[in-house]
Amino acid sequence: MFAYAEETGNSGPNIFDEDEYFRLGAILTVDDIAPAVDAVFSLFLAEKSIDSFHPHDWSEEEVAKLGHPKYSTQ
C-alpha cells in the first residue's frame, strides 16, 4: 500500500482556530505511482522551464493540461 499525502493552506500557530484555512488529502494505491507521476511532472517542468510546481500558483486550466495525452507515459 502506498499513500501520497498533500496539505494545502496554513495551519499556522492556531491550528484549531476556525478562521485558519487548512486541508489534507491523500491518494491510496496498491501500486507505486511515483515513477509515472515523476515522468509527467518532469516533462511539464521542463516545458515550463521551472524547478517546482505548486498548483495553487496556476490556473485550473493549466493544471488540467497535466491530463493531456502528450504527458502520458503509457
Side-chain angles (χ1 to χ4, degrees):
M1 175 71 59
F2 295 86
Y4 300 90
E6 178 63 8
E7 57 80 21
T8 185
N10 179 11
S11 61
N14 301 315
I15 193 167
F16 297 110
D17 182 339
E18 62 186 51
D19 293 325
E20 291 288 339
Y21 172 69
F22 180 78
R23 300 289 185 266
L24 181 64
I27 296 173
L28 301 176
T29 179
V30 295
D31 296 316
D32 183 3
I33 64 170
V37 172
D38 183 59
V40 169
F41 278 115
S42 294
L43 182 60
F44 187 77
L45 295 173
E47 182 181 283
K48 299 294 182 185
S49 299
I50 55 176
D51 295 327
S52 61
F53 177 69
H54 302 281
H56 65 270
D57 293 334
W58 295 78
S59 69
E60 187 175 324
E61 292 79 19
E62 197 69 15
V63 173
K65 289 180 183 178
L66 288 171
H68 189 278
K70 77 176 184 177
Y71 296 115
S72 176
T73 60
Q74 297 181 11

